[in-house]
Amino acid sequence: MSAPLCSLTLNLPDETATDALARQFAPLVTGATGLAPGGRIHLCGDLGAGKTAFTRALLRESGIKGRIKSPSYALLESYKVSNLYFYHFDFYRFSDSREWLDAGFRDLLRDDAVVLIEWPERAEGLLPPPDLQIDLAYADPGRDVTLTAFTARGQTWLNAIAPLSQKPCPTPGPVAGA
Ligand SMILES: Nc1ncnc2c1ncn2[C@@H]1O[C@H](COP(=O)(O)OP(=O)(O)OP(=O)(O)O)[C@@H](O)[C@H]1O
Ligand SMILES: [Mg+2]
């Protein structure tokens, strides 16, 4: 994994706070704020930490209608809104990271799609670095979340969602494709 560029830690006291944070990402990944649409997000944390809850809120706010299922069993749920593809993966069931290659998912990791991956560590070493990694941890109250940018696009997202007093990435670079 390449080096993290900058990060931000926040407390999410309840599920409403998780939803609110996730909803802030929707306009960033869909291009509504003027950034190039797409991006890859890795979601890490123990069982029940809130990876699916976060993703569901982001997808809902991005305009996905109907049931948003957890990909725990199917490994992948995909969606399309206008011309933008969303791929929601869950690699928990992989026992060997090479299963990821065998599953033929590599072609879906496109920069112009929104790719959300739960349990990316189960494909350790085979995935390219994400734009953003989200680490969720049980806390009192609720959850602590650490957002880490690995690319210029991730840096731009982090600065966009950080509180004004807490901009974590002082020198964001140009965003690929913007
Ligand atoms: N900030 C929060 N504080 C307390 N509870 C929360 C918070 N955010 C989400 N939750 C709750 O935590 C649970 C998260 O479940 P979720 O299925 O999203 O976990 P997960 O990380 O995807 O687990 P898995 O590894 O099994 O896929 C839900 O019951 C949700 O209501
Ligand atoms: Mg989940």
Side-chain angles (χ1 to χ4, degrees):
M1 167 91 66
S2 61
L5 297 175
C6 48
S7 69
L8 170 70
T9 298
L10 304 166
N11 178 255
L12 304 170
D14 53 27
E15 188 172 6
T16 313
T18 301
D19 287 354
L21 178 67
R23 285 201 305 267
Q24 286 185 270
F25 278 96
L28 298 170
V29 302
T30 58
T33 60
L35 296 174
R40 284 183 295 105
I41 298 177
H42 286 181
L43 295 125
C44 304
D46 288 344
L47 290 169
K51 302 179 292 295
T52 301
F54 180 95
T55 303
R56 211 172 253 139
L58 191 161
L59 293 173
R60 185 70 72 206
E61 186 73 8
S62 297
I64 287 147
K65 311 281 184 221
R67 184 149 177 246
I68 298 176
K69 287 194 279 181
S70 169
S72 308
Y73 293 98
L75 299 178
L76 168 65
E77 297 290 340
S78 33
Y79 309 89
K80 190 180 179 198
V81 178
S82 303
N83 287 324
L84 184 60
Y85 287 91
F86 294 77
Y87 300 112
H88 179 192
F89 291 102
D90 185 333
F91 292 158
Y92 183 70
R93 292 197 304 129
F94 283 172
S95 50
D96 178 332
S97 57
R98 294 205 58 85
E99 285 183 56
W100 176 78
L101 282 181
D102 296 341
F105 291 144
R106 191 205 287 272
D107 291 348
L108 301 182
L109 303 185
R110 304 192 333 243
D111 276 347
D112 62 352
V114 180
V115 180
L116 298 131
I117 303 179
E118 297 186 42
W119 293 100
E121 51 275 61
R122 299 285 164 116
E124 191 73 64
L126 296 176
L127 295 174
D131 294 300
L132 188 77
Q133 179 167 313
I134 299 180
D135 289 277
L136 287 151
Y138 287 85
D140 188 8
R143 307 284 188 269
D144 284 340
V145 62
T146 299
L147 307 161
T148 306
F150 286 89
T151 67
R153 176 186 252 166
Q155 282 183 291
T156 305
W157 290 350
L158 264 198
N159 275 343
I161 64 102
L164 269 181
S165 57
Q166 219 178 326
K167 297 299 177 195
C169 309
T171 53
V175 177

